[in-house]
Amino acid sequence: MGIVPSSVVLTSFQVMSRVFLIWAVTHSVKEVQSEDSVLLFVIAWTITEIIRYSFYTFSLLNHLPYLIKWARYTLFIVLYPMGVSGELLTIYAALPFVRQAGLYSISLPNKYNFSFDYHAFLILIMISYIPIFPQLYFHMIHQRRKILSHTEEHKKFE
Amino acid sequence: MKHYEVEILDAKIREKLCFLDKVEPHATIAEIKNLFTKTHPQWYPARQSLRLDPKGKSLKDEDVLQKLPVGTTATLYFRDLGAQISWVTVFLTEYAGPLFIYLLFYFRVPFIYGHKYDFTSSRHTVVHLACICHSFHYVKRLLETLFVHRFSHGTMPLRNIFKNCTYYWGFAAWMAYYINHPLYTPPTYGAQQVKLALAIFVICQLGNFSIHMALRDLRPAGSKTRKIPYPTKNPFTWLFLLVSCPNYTYEVGSWIGFAIMTQCLPVALFSLVGFTQMTIWAKGKHRSYLKEFRDYPPLRMPIIPFLL
């Protein structure tokens, strides 16, 4: 909507993946709700979002403390892998229960001539982290280099 | 006769790429592109976009130099469109795939279903009918590509062939898998449902073909003229009274027919995705018609009569 400069596609993707983790995995498979991995990604997401939204708010008010900018473009180095680990471990923990209950799965024969194996789908999702995570991570590293060095130069000229 | 000078600059970095002197005033952009290729052979004409303004629209191949708003020294800006591939090549490849792939599943080639089903045949009539319809559809498309369609553009970006083939070949494999599966369930309402669906399919195929022929007749061979399409004596073309792109209307209809015939959810999903894409194209085409022709019939909608 143009209020902040983030890409709509990238952000929608992130929102969708978060909603998927919460609804389609953690909520749907009650047995994983007590796993430590859930705590891991919830903490990572929470800290990330607090910093991110502070960043946007201060930017819009044209008064961005360097600390917030630094935090946004530095803490992800730890928080991102932390979140991803939590997510992957949670999905992995959910697998046996999904298989056992045949959750969200439909097999042949049926009158819609369609089949879906949620267990296999979750495995595919886990595999998709392999190409996707490095791309997003190195994009942030690249952004960090661009934005934090830019500020240093500005400071030099003051 | 006064000759023109043409200099070609890169649109992004404004670097001078080429200087042509003694260019005929009635030279076309196409001819200038050919001259440019001589000094930069890696940029064949199809991947050149030449424009008067670095951020402006591309000039057309038919535009004549002296008719452009330039002085006797013309400055053109060049943008590389990337590797190109001909429309005909893309269409033939993307349509040949589904034809072939569906048959692999129909004949139950090994390693698709369990080994005890290898090369067996379905006992349901509708499965054989579906194979005929699907194959007919893609054979029709291939023949139309070779003998009917008159393309406005010669080429499209190379990456499109990967995108398009993934879409067509992927969906073809997905629906063929279920329709030809040993555990396939025939339609709930039996022969009645199949007969009705087949009628819809055939009518829409005939309709789609009629529209393709009517559009072809609007444009002489080798030209790129654009005219408002109108209904002809062929009743299938009377849909032009209500929609701008009845070819898309009939195409959606064909796939809905096929979905009802096979009662297969992946077919319905394929129809939905196709419908979405064709609606986007139809709206674009409709908008172009409205912009180009003052007297465009107001009753027409892009793809669905009265609705969309």
Side-chain angles (χ1 to χ4, degrees):
Chain A
M1 287 188 58
I3 300 178
V4 291
S6 305
S7 136
V8 179
V9 174
L10 267 163
T11 312
S12 316
F13 192 77
Q14 187 191 51
V15 171
M16 270 196 325
S17 79
R18 297 250 181 106
V19 170
F20 179 80
L21 247 303
I22 299 292
W23 273 2
V25 181
T26 315
H27 174 75
S28 301
V29 186
K30 295 189 174 28
E31 296 87 339
V32 306
Q33 285 166 12
S34 50
E35 291 278 327
D36 293 337
S37 55
V38 176
L39 194 61
L40 195 59
F41 73 72
V42 170
I43 290 177
W45 292 0
T46 309
I47 300 176
T48 305
E49 297 302 271
I50 291 174
I51 297 169
R52 194 157 70 102
Y53 281 102
S54 311
F55 175 85
Y56 288 144
T57 311
F58 283 116
S59 298
L60 287 169
L61 295 171
N62 281 314
H63 179 83
L64 178 66
Y66 183 72
L67 181 64
I68 303 280
K69 179 164 28 193
W70 179 88
R72 193 213 171 170
Y73 284 101
T74 306
L75 295 182
F76 79 89
I77 295 176
V78 167
L79 291 174
Y80 209 7
M82 210 171 110
V84 165
S85 305
E87 292 168 32
L88 285 174
L89 286 167
T90 306
I91 298 175
Y92 186 71
L95 287 178
F97 302 104
V98 169
R99 162 73 103 220
Q100 203 178 46
L103 184 66
Y104 301 147
S105 302
I106 180 170
S107 62
L108 293 177
N110 61 72
K111 66 178 175 183
Y112 299 111
N113 291 303
F114 177 69
S115 65
F116 182 71
D117 182 350
Y118 192 47
H119 186 267
F121 182 71
L122 286 175
I123 292 178
L124 273 168
I125 297 269
M126 289 178 72
I127 294 175
S128 76
Y129 274 73
I130 297 176
I132 295 177
F133 170 67
Q135 280 187 54
L136 295 175
Y137 192 63
F138 288 116
H139 171 75
M140 284 301 281
I141 302 250
H142 182 79
Q143 291 291 90
R144 175 171 202 267
R145 226 162 267 154
K146 216 172 59 168
I147 292 178
L148 290 187
S149 67
H150 199 255
T151 317
E152 306 254 322
E153 278 171 32
H154 267 250
K155 284 192 152 176
K156 274 199 211 118
F157 290 124
E158 269 162 27
Chain B
M1 180 174 51
K2 218 162 31 145
H3 280 134
Y4 278 67
E5 294 177 329
V6 177
E7 61 166 7
I8 301 180
L9 309 179
D10 183 292
K12 274 190 275 198
I13 56 182
R14 312 293 165 97
E15 175 198 333
K16 186 145 86 162
L17 296 169
C18 178
F19 186 81
L20 304 165
D21 62 357
K22 298 225 187 42
V23 183
E24 311 272 318
H26 51 78
T28 59
I29 293 292
E31 287 161 2
I32 292 174
K33 284 184 180 176
N34 280 321
L35 291 171
F36 186 43
T37 302
K38 288 210 178 77
T39 53
H40 292 84
Q42 76 275 25
W43 289 326
Y44 42 87
R47 69 190 277 183
Q48 294 177 33
S49 162
L50 293 177
R51 32 182 91 175
L52 292 168
D53 178 89
K55 298 207 176 98
K57 266 183 26 160
S58 278
L59 294 167
K60 302 204 202 75
D61 279 1
E62 312 82 63
D63 288 340
V64 175
L65 186 56
Q66 69 182 4
K67 295 221 171 78
L68 296 173
V70 291
T72 47
T73 302
T75 303
L76 298 178
Y77 293 93
F78 162 77
R79 199 143 231 244
D80 181 13
L81 296 170
Q84 298 284 301
I85 184 166
S86 83
W87 272 59
V88 174
T89 307
V90 174
F91 272 43
L92 291 178
T93 316
E94 70 190 13
Y95 296 155
L99 181 62
F100 178 68
I101 289 169
Y102 192 101
L103 291 173
L104 292 176
F105 288 87
Y106 176 74
F107 288 114
R108 294 188 183 157
V109 149
F111 298 104
I112 299 178
Y113 307 111
H115 278 303
K116 70 175 181 185
Y117 296 112
D118 291 349
F119 298 117
T120 56
S121 180
S122 171
R123 56 188 169 84
H124 305 294
T125 318
V126 65
V127 172
H128 305 294
L129 198 55
C131 183
I132 294 171
C133 289
H134 188 270
S135 305
F136 171 80
H137 179 81
Y138 283 102
V139 167
K140 170 180 158 294
R141 286 214 199 187
L142 287 165
L143 293 175
E144 284 171 338
T145 304
L146 291 169
F147 302 114
V148 178
H149 295 317
R150 294 204 162 121
F151 297 105
S152 302
H153 306 281
T155 67
M156 63 168 87
L158 183 63
R159 85 182 70 88
N160 278 15
I161 196 172
F162 301 109
K163 211 170 35 110
N164 292 11
C165 286
T166 304
Y167 171 75
Y168 278 104
W169 297 12
F171 262 112
W174 197 36
M175 61 174 94
Y177 173 77
Y178 290 109
I179 298 170
N180 298 293
H181 200 283
L183 296 177
Y184 170 76
T185 308
T188 311
Y189 297 102
Q192 258 187 330
Q193 183 171 337
V194 174
K195 255 187 233 143
L196 172 67
L198 181 62
I200 296 173
F201 179 80
V202 170
I203 289 171
C204 289
Q205 289 288 277
L206 288 170
N208 177 267
F209 180 69
S210 304
I211 302 300
H212 286 159
M213 289 303 287
L215 289 172
R216 169 198 169 82
D217 291 336
L218 279 183
R219 166 178 285 182
S223 79
K224 290 186 186 172
T225 47
R226 277 187 311 284
K227 301 206 291 240
I228 302 178
Y230 282 107
T232 69
K233 290 203 191 72
N234 181 338
F236 288 111
T237 65
W238 297 353
L239 197 47
F240 270 122
L241 290 168
L242 300 175
V243 279
S244 293
C245 301
N247 49 318
Y248 294 146
T249 318
Y250 283 122
E251 182 69 17
V252 178
S254 301
W255 285 105
I256 291 176
F258 192 67
I260 296 171
M261 189 195 313
T262 55
Q263 201 168 294
C264 177
L265 185 60
V267 179
L269 290 172
F270 178 65
S271 311
L272 185 63
V273 177
F275 174 62
T276 308
Q277 176 64 87
M278 286 188 278
T279 301
I280 294 171
W281 289 337
K283 285 188 168 214
K285 189 93 211 147
H286 186 78
R287 220 174 299 131
S288 304
Y289 279 144
L290 287 173
K291 237 170 53 173
E292 185 163 359
F293 304 109
R294 292 277 104 141
D295 54 340
Y296 196 72
L299 183 62
R300 290 191 197 183
M301 293 297 275
I303 187 171
I304 306 286
F306 309 117
L307 295 176
L308 192 54

